[in-house]
Amino acid sequence: YFSCSCQLLSIKRKATSIQNFLHSRRIMIVRLKKHHLQYFRNKARQTPNEIYAFLIGTRISPTLIQIERFRYPKLTMSTPALVVADVDSEVEIEDIAKLNNYTIVGSLHSHPNYITPMSDCDLSTLKNSSHTVSGVLGIIGDKTFITFWCRDTPLPATIQFF
C-alpha cells in the first residue's frame, strides 16, 4: 500500500508540475484597433529613427489585454537603434489614462531596417516597468512585422483586431 501511495503522490506532483508549466506558457491575446496600428506603421516608415507609443487600455482577463489608444510621448532620444521616452510625458499620459478609467498597459516601438525578437534591453525595460505588454514593429523596406510579448509568458502574443 505504501509503495502505491508514493507512486500516486509522484503522479499527482508531476501532473501539477505539468499544469504549472502549461499555465506559465499560456498564449496571451493583445486586442487593438487596426487603424491605430496602421497609423503607427505609417509614422514608423517615415523616419530612419525608432518611434515609441504608450498603449492605453485594460487587462480584461489573465490572457487578454485590450488596447484602446496609442499615445505618443515626447522623446528624450531617438536614433536608428534606441528610443527613450520622456519620464514627465509618461506621467502625463498615465494621468490622462486614469481619468478615462484606463492605464498604460504597455508600449510599442519600431526597429527600423531590421526584424528582431525582443532584445535584452526591451525585456529588461518590460520587467522593470509596471507594463504588461511590449511590442516591436520591425521594418524592412515597405514591409512591417509586429510582435507583442507579455511579461507573464515567454511566447509571443496573439494579435486580434476589434
Side-chain angles (χ1 to χ4, degrees):
Y1 179 74
F2 179 74
S3 175
C4 185
S5 294
C6 288
Q7 288 175 344
L8 184 59
L9 184 60
S10 176
I11 290 169
K12 285 183 179 178
R13 283 187 184 146
K14 285 179 184 175
T16 301
S17 178
I18 290 168
Q19 286 174 340
N20 290 340
F21 175 81
L22 292 173
H23 178 73
S24 72
R25 279 141 182 85
R26 65 183 178 259
I27 301 296
M28 299 292 291
I29 298 169
V30 174
R31 189 182 294 161
L32 63 146
K33 296 177 182 174
K34 198 168 197 168
H35 69 273
H36 287 235
L37 182 57
Q38 191 58 43
Y39 180 83
F40 187 90
R41 282 181 165 137
N42 291 339
K43 188 173 173 124
R45 284 184 187 121
Q46 294 171 2
T47 179
N49 295 335
E50 289 191 10
I51 67 167
Y52 190 93
F54 287 112
L55 306 173
I56 310 301
T58 55
R59 186 165 192 164
I60 295 185
S61 76
T63 58
L64 177 60
I65 296 162
Q66 184 157 308
I67 299 165
E68 299 291 339
R69 297 180 179 98
F70 288 29
R71 290 292 177 251
Y72 298 87
K74 294 175 188 154
L75 303 177
T76 56
M77 181 181 295
S78 177
T79 70
L82 179 68
V83 65
V84 179
D86 178 69
V87 175
D88 293 333
S89 188
E90 180 176 4
V91 170
E92 182 180 312
I93 289 169
E94 180 67 41
D95 290 344
I96 292 168
K98 284 179 184 175
L99 288 173
N100 293 295
N101 296 318
Y102 295 120
T103 186
I104 297 176
V105 292
S107 64
L108 174 62
H109 68 282
S110 61
H111 282 175
N113 299 318
Y114 63 102
I115 304 167
T116 183
M118 182 178 269
S119 70
D120 290 340
C121 181
D122 296 339
L123 181 59
S124 175
T125 300
L126 178 60
K127 289 190 180 233
N128 292 320
S129 75
S130 62
H131 302 166
T132 304
V133 65
S134 178
V136 177
L137 178 83
I139 306 164
I140 303 291
D142 289 340
K143 300 209 181 294
T144 61
F145 307 87
I146 184 141
T147 307
F148 286 100
W149 287 272
C150 298
R151 71 172 8 174
D152 299 342
T153 177
L155 300 173
T158 298
I159 299 169
Q160 290 181 350
F161 296 108
F162 73 100

